[in-house]
Amino acid sequence: MRINCPYCGARCLEEFTYRGDATVKRPESIDESARDAWVDYVYLRDNPAGLHKELWHHGAGCHSWLEVTRNTVTHEIVAVELAAKGR
Amino acid sequence: MPILSIRKESGSVSNLESTSALHGFAAPGRYGKRDGDAGVTASERKNLGLATIAARKGQEAALKAAIQSAYGADLPDGSTSAVGKGVRFIGIGPGQWFAVSDSLANEALADELSTKLQGLASIADHSSGRAVMRIEGPAVKDALAKGLAIDLDPRVFVDGAAATSTLSHMGVLLWRDGDAYDVALFRSVGGSFWGWLRASAAEYGLEFVTTS
Ligand SMILES: [Zn+2]
């Protein structure tokens, strides 16, 4: 498997580390009332068969965090963006 | 008076000569195939000024303008290099560059960059932490291909092109300078690098030359 890093170009998988689901959002509130949202954020993950947005770190290359859209059934990668896009 | 102050005078720290990262185990000479011309020639580029430049938040445009006016180089937005007055600037990541200089030797490069780019970028001196090996010769691409998963075809990896990657599992920064390839590696893996190079270039004949 190769990942086409927006900065470095196509590189082999060994240069990257998987860093988890890119769709989870940190809850705004730290109140007790947001408890369920925090459990969801920290522990619960969907396990989709098909397209999935995930974070990868290009640790042996440019050190960018990438947001990769990957098909979990075929491993086909349909999009790669810098996670810091627009920031 | 601070106890740790070091006075710079004759025979002090500033006059020490840097030691090769391959000192003690890589002797100049011919290795591997003995007949014919060497397919690979390697040398160490010693006493280079090496420094990283990281743009401060929101200062990238101002940093580029400052580099352009001080060195006449356009900081690249990708993994390639721009050569300005006495300094090569290599893209190593978004907002980050690796600077290499012959004329601003050792820590002089980081000192100058820190002064000229004050407030625009964070500068770190790497001159004593990395060794830069120059590898060239007719079989250089074949030898490098044994450890490096980068396409070095000259149509793709053009003059000045650069890559941060791994070479036989060692983290390296590689760039092309004309027909030569410069490999910056951490000094501490100098021995491992030499072992890899000696084995990988043996079938083509390796000539190891030391430089100043
Ligand atoms: Zn990258």
Side-chain angles (χ1 to χ4, degrees):
Chain A
M1 193 167 110
R2 288 181 189 178
I3 295 177
N4 196 9
C5 172
Y7 190 87
C8 302
R11 295 294 182 86
C12 55
L13 185 62
E14 299 93 275
E15 294 194 2
F16 302 86
T17 313
Y18 178 66
R19 300 300 294 169
D21 191 328
T23 64
V24 291
K25 289 267 182 293
R26 190 178 191 276
E28 299 279 338
S29 168
I30 56 166
D31 292 345
E32 189 60 29
S33 60
R35 193 173 179 277
D36 288 352
W38 275 95
V39 169
D40 196 50
Y41 168 67
V42 175
Y43 297 110
L44 304 180
R45 295 290 178 269
D46 293 333
N47 186 19
L51 293 180
H52 186 225
K53 266 192 193 294
E54 45 200 32
L55 293 169
W56 288 79
H57 181 234
H58 197 184
C62 65
H63 302 121
S64 292
W65 284 70
L66 306 177
E67 199 177 287
V68 174
T69 308
R70 182 177 66 97
N71 188 319
T72 60
V73 178
T74 62
H75 295 310
E76 184 194 4
I77 290 171
V78 298
V80 184
E81 293 175 286
L82 294 173
K85 57 187 184 288
R87 256 182 287 152
Chain B
M1 187 181 159
I3 295 165
L4 292 174
S5 70
I6 297 170
R7 288 168 61 196
K8 292 197 173 182
E9 58 193 357
S10 175
S12 75
V13 172
S14 59
N15 290 340
L16 290 178
E17 201 182 313
S18 58
T19 304
S20 164
L22 304 181
H23 179 77
F25 45 83
R30 179 72 182 257
Y31 295 86
K33 186 171 81 87
R34 297 256 150 205
D35 54 305
D37 292 339
V40 178
T41 302
S43 55
E44 185 177 6
R45 295 186 65 192
K46 284 177 70 185
N47 291 311
L48 291 178
L50 304 171
T52 51
I53 302 169
R56 296 265 174 89
K57 197 167 191 173
Q59 298 294 334
E60 203 165 316
L63 170 64
K64 286 183 171 177
I67 296 273
Q68 177 56 248
S69 96
Y71 300 99
D74 284 323
L75 281 181
D77 284 322
S79 52
T80 182
S81 49
V83 179
K85 275 172 269 177
V87 187
R88 174 183 292 266
F89 298 93
I90 304 163
I92 53 171
Q96 295 177 63
W97 296 268
F98 191 76
V100 181
S101 178
D102 272 310
S103 49
L104 294 163
N106 300 312
E107 67 273 24
L109 174 63
D111 289 347
E112 182 175 297
L113 291 172
S114 300
T115 307
K116 292 195 169 168
L117 306 174
Q118 202 157 24
L120 305 178
S122 300
I123 310 299
D125 177 30
H126 283 243
S127 59
S128 58
R130 308 247 198 159
V132 177
M133 302 298 300
R134 169 153 291 203
I135 309 170
E136 53 203 321
V140 62
K141 289 196 286 293
D142 297 318
L144 284 171
K146 296 182 186 184
L148 190 75
I150 297 289
D151 186 358
L152 296 181
D153 187 296
R155 290 166 298 181
V156 182
F157 205 81
V158 298
D159 190 14
T164 308
S165 188
T166 58
L167 187 144
S168 187
H169 306 280
M170 291 171 274
V172 294
L173 169 63
L174 166 111
W175 65 93
R176 187 180 147 195
D177 184 355
D179 289 329
Y181 297 84
D182 283 347
V183 180
L185 46 117
F186 295 106
R187 278 184 66 96
S188 55
V189 300
S192 304
F193 174 82
W194 170 247
W196 172 83
L197 180 66
R198 197 178 155 171
S200 301
E203 66 168 303
Y204 316 109
L206 169 67
E207 186 72 38
F208 180 58
V209 263
T210 49
T211 48
S212 63

